[in-house]
Amino acid sequence: MESSTTRSIVDALTKAIVDHRLQPGTKLAEQKLADHFGVSRTLVRQALFQLSQNKLIRLEPARGAFVAAPAVDEARQVFAVRRMLEAEMTREFVRTVTPAKIKALKEHVALEKSAVSGEDISGRTELLGDFHVRMAELMGNQVLAQILGELISRCALITLMYQSTSAAEHSNDEHADIVKALAARDEERAVRLMTEHLEHVEANLTFDRKVPTNDISLALS
């Protein structure tokens, strides 16, 4: 029962955060949340801890819990590094492409499409980021896969909070186009599509999006 209740609190707060009904920096008072959900502060504390593990909130000693405030400048720097790194990765992938690698990427793109269609916000964010790591893994370059994974995780929260559903659909379509270019061994087109894709993802993050409220009860209603 406790596990199910905690999960429902986590899900409700996650949706409120990624739907921008709770703005970055909002204090999440344990008692207010307990009153809203009709549960003990212990269950609320468990839910807040889980959310802190997912980096959606930050826990500060003696101050409490706050909705995470992603560093936009850091995300922009991450995208700049990714464009440099992934252009060369794409070139190398074309040179070593095989039908098995293309099949694996097509299967991944299909999973992305399903997550986007099902409005699985956290799932689609993870899968869309993993596409790039998957390319490195299929090349057999674990160092590159690890570096990309770390880079992507540094801006994952920003992508989760600031990428719209339409932008996510566009990313999925662009991944499919990249796979087609890779399958055709069209190196220049594949590199161009990858670079444009990363530029589009960054450009479509609505960093300046207005948020309607920081009132917990209103945001969760």
Side-chain angles (χ1 to χ4, degrees):
M1 176 65 182
E2 287 190 356
S3 176
S4 174
T5 302
T6 301
R7 171 45 55 189
S8 68
I9 297 172
V10 168
D11 289 345
L13 285 171
T14 297
K15 184 166 177 54
I17 291 170
V18 301
D19 286 351
H20 305 275
R21 285 181 279 115
L22 282 172
Q23 62 183 324
T26 300
K27 182 176 176 59
L28 300 174
E30 288 183 4
Q31 191 57 58
K32 283 187 177 180
L33 289 171
D35 292 343
H36 177 83
F37 289 105
V39 299
S40 68
R41 290 179 65 171
T42 299
L43 289 180
V44 168
R45 205 168 293 125
Q46 290 174 1
L48 292 176
F49 177 75
Q50 287 186 32
L51 287 164
S52 72
Q53 296 297 294
N54 296 336
K55 309 299 183 185
L56 281 177
I57 70 165
R58 68 180 191 277
L59 297 177
E60 298 186 8
R63 294 196 66 222
F66 298 83
V67 176
V72 174
D73 287 344
E74 178 182 338
R76 295 201 186 283
Q77 291 171 19
V78 166
F79 275 107
V81 173
R82 286 184 60 189
R83 283 192 293 273
M84 295 179 234
L85 195 61
E86 294 191 51
E88 188 56 36
M89 176 183 74
T90 303
R91 289 188 190 282
E92 185 62 27
F93 194 99
V94 171
R95 295 164 190 163
T96 61
V97 71
T98 65
K101 291 178 182 179
I102 295 300
K103 182 174 183 291
L105 286 181
K106 285 182 176 179
E107 289 173 350
H108 188 93
V109 170
L111 290 175
E112 292 176 2
K113 189 174 184 63
S114 177
V116 171
S117 300
E119 298 184 351
D120 178 2
I121 298 173
S122 60
R124 82 185 184 205
T125 299
E126 182 176 359
L127 284 165
L128 289 170
D130 280 351
F131 172 83
H132 302 265
V133 178
R134 188 75 182 114
M135 282 183 64
E137 290 174 342
L138 289 167
M139 290 167 60
N141 193 326
Q142 293 304 314
V143 174
L144 178 57
Q146 181 179 0
I147 291 173
L148 269 180
E150 290 171 355
L151 283 171
I152 291 166
S153 69
R154 289 180 70 173
C155 62
L157 175 58
I158 289 179
T159 304
L160 178 65
M161 293 178 68
Y162 295 99
Q163 186 177 54
S164 67
T165 299
S166 60
E169 290 174 350
H170 195 217
S171 285
N172 174 240
D173 291 339
E174 289 181 337
H175 284 174
D177 289 340
I178 290 168
V179 173
K180 288 177 184 176
L182 293 172
R185 297 179 181 270
D186 189 336
E187 182 178 314
E188 293 309 312
R189 176 173 169 75
V191 171
R192 177 174 58 79
L193 288 174
M194 178 64 81
T195 301
E196 290 176 350
H197 164 61
L198 292 173
E199 289 172 346
H200 292 160
V201 172
E202 181 180 0
N204 286 324
L205 297 179
T206 51
F207 295 127
D208 59 349
R209 183 172 179 177
K210 301 298 182 184
V211 226
T213 183
N214 62 358
D215 180 88
I216 291 174
S217 295
L218 184 58
L220 293 172
S221 63

